[in-house]
Amino acid sequence: MDRLFLVASTLFFLLAVVRTALLIRGGAFRPGRSSFLAIAGGFVLQTAFLWVRGNTLGRCPLTNLFEVFIFMAWSVALIYMLVGPAYRLSLMGAFTAPLVLLIQTFALLSPIDRPSAPKMAVNPWLEFHASMSIVAYGAFALACVAGLMYLVQERQLKTHQIHSVFHHLPPLTDLYAAITRLLWLGFGLYTAGLVSGFFTGEPLPRVKMVCAIAIWIFYGAILQGRHLFRLAPKQVAVLCVVAFSAAVCVLWGITFVSEKVPT
Amino acid sequence: MKLFCVGLSHHTANVETRERYARSIRIDPGLREKTGCVEALLLSTCNRVEVYGVAEQQVDDEAIARSLLTAASAQEAHDAAAFYRHEGDECVQHLFRVACGLDSMVVGETEVLGQAKQAYAEARTSGGTGPFLHRLFQRAFRVAKQVRTHTDITRGAVSVGSVAVDLAGKIFGELRERKVLVLGAGETSERTARALASRGVTDLRVSNRSGERAEILASLVGGRAVPFAGWENQCREVDILISSTAADEPLLTRAKLGPILRERWDRPLFIIDIAVPRDVAPDVNEMEGVFLYDIDSLQSIAEQSLALRRQQVAAGESIIAEHVADFGRWLRRQRGGASATASDAAIPRAELQTSES
């Protein structure tokens, strides 16, 4: 039953992607209210899925890889809803929807929605740790999206090839400011998630801890590297994409380990 | 009641011919009496002179043309071939196309909409408009707004100066806090500097081999002159460099700019090189954080924008067609019996005062 919400949600994101693709193909792309509404609809249905799944499980729905991916897709949509309009990054929806669509489609088609091993009683610290970390991933995903937008805009400006999308992309300096804020937001949430992990009172697998700290150091290095290593905005944008790709791989690894060694 | 438009434009008349006709936005007060028009409005811009009218009987084109002649040209009225006439739905469609910039020399330009609003306001004040023209022009403003919102017809700059300002906006966003160095005191750099100043730039520096010319240009664009010797050092601070000197060799090369960029690694530098031969070595564009545009690339973007606008014409036309059909139905209802006076009374005062933006 709960998967129906998710299928419907995925269709909403698909709608946003198809609309954008058709507009770009027609050479007249413009971010419109319909894309935002499609993403908002998808977000509501994601929330419904997580609510139903959470009630069924009697805990935060982060018990297997499938739920982790859906929670991450939800976090991406949540942060887009909060950040996109605030920073007038309306076009971000055009880049966010495909990312969410990809995550959800992969999650729905892969045989990863397996009931996890019986758990112990609900541990609030553990749930806080897991949910904070995943929401941080949402911020990192949006930083990655803003990074991609930066790279697209920068390339058009460098090569002098101006396409329809150019007029709807925000200025480079605004995108860079958004990347920085999203990185700080994600870093703050991730730090909270990481620190709370030590209060769960449960043994943490070493590989999980090392990977989590490595990701934390990577993002910390990007934030500080701007000054220490004189990273140019374009390099920061590239690193946002690289770091998020690495972080998703690590998340997969961490969750895989968690499923083998229940915490 | 017949709704019609008689006029000439850049499509039918050269500039010499257009010059002979009304430059004032006020219609001849006697025109309505002379021609028997119930309502009349004059739209006069650089590229067109048109009278929109409503009359019980057919109005002679020549009578309108004569009334539009400027005093200085009163003897040379042999331009009948340059005048066109649109009636009913064709007139409605023509005005909507004009208001949307589809009939303009530069497709999608928005200045004509402001001029149409001004003409409408003028005619309303002088009592030239009644229920038909009021409704026609209000609808035209609405159509123009809709076409602008739902198509890319006004997107992109189509002149070198405005392309440069647009690009600066896409790199820096808000331009108010940006520092600009104008190198060389040519006409194009002056226009570009003025365009940037109009977008809020206040820190404009002008440098030229002739200090006197630098002072003159600085005073014209509201900037300050800086010495030509060691102008490269200004690149440490400025965000935008406009270069148009008459130098034979590139003034700015990778070797010169390299050390400067190391000090400003996180701030982009936008270079507009409008000199021929070029002042900036082309490979400077490959440097991180540098966006170099020469006159050809600016021109090419202007042409791309124009091409994009042309692609959007069909989308604009289809919006217009819907409104023409709708307005045509209203027009036929009025002709079919319902009195225009009754309809006039039905138009709220607030609506009459609305100038849709």
Side-chain angles (χ1 to χ4, degrees), chain A residues 103-192:
Chain A
I103 297 172
Q104 288 194 180
T105 308
F106 171 77
L108 279 168
L109 298 180
S110 306
I112 51 175
D113 190 13
R114 289 187 289 260
S116 57
K119 299 270 178 180
M120 291 175 290
V122 173
N123 180 339
W125 276 110
L126 191 61
E127 296 210 332
F128 179 78
H129 156 74
S131 54
M132 275 296 115
S133 304
I134 302 292
V135 176
Y137 267 80
F140 290 147
L142 262 289
C144 167
V145 166
L148 283 172
M149 289 164 76
Y150 185 99
L151 294 173
V152 169
Q153 186 75 312
E154 201 262 359
R155 179 157 179 77
Q156 293 197 73
L157 282 162
K158 269 282 189 196
T159 57
H160 307 167
Q161 296 298 315
I162 307 299
H163 300 287
S164 166
V165 74
F166 173 82
H167 301 292
H168 303 288
L169 278 165
L172 287 181
T173 44
D174 290 5
L175 278 170
Y176 186 54
I179 289 171
T180 309
R181 285 168 192 158
L182 285 164
L183 282 177
W184 276 115
L185 174 68
F187 189 71
L189 291 166
Y190 198 75
T191 306

Side-chain angles (χ1 to χ4, degrees), chain B residues 99-101 104 106-115 148 154 309:
Chain B
C100 295
S104 297
V106 177
V107 176
E109 59 100 0
T110 53
E111 203 181 350
V112 69
L113 179 61
Q115 289 162 328
R148 255 160 52 175
T154 59
R309 286 183 180 198

Side-chain angles (χ1 to χ4, degrees), chain B residues 161-162 164-166 168 174-182 188-206 217-224 240 242 272:
Chain B
S162 51
V165 173
D166 256 21
E174 183 61 63
L175 296 180
R176 205 163 296 155
E177 300 296 319
R178 302 296 161 187
K179 300 179 177 77
V180 178
L181 173 65
V182 182
T188 318
S189 53
E190 180 194 329
R191 277 206 299 272
T192 311
R194 276 183 194 278
L196 285 167
S198 73
R199 284 279 296 267
V201 172
T202 51
D203 190 339
L204 272 161
R205 305 161 190 198
V206 182
L217 179 56
S219 65
L220 283 173
V221 298
R224 64 188 162 94
I240 301 168
I242 304 168
I272 305 159

Side-chain angles (χ1 to χ4, degrees), chain A residues 11-25:
Chain A
L11 289 175
F12 268 85
F13 285 105
L14 178 67
L15 189 71
V17 171
V18 168
R19 184 186 175 276
T20 305
L22 288 175
L23 288 174
I24 288 176
R25 202 173 158 202

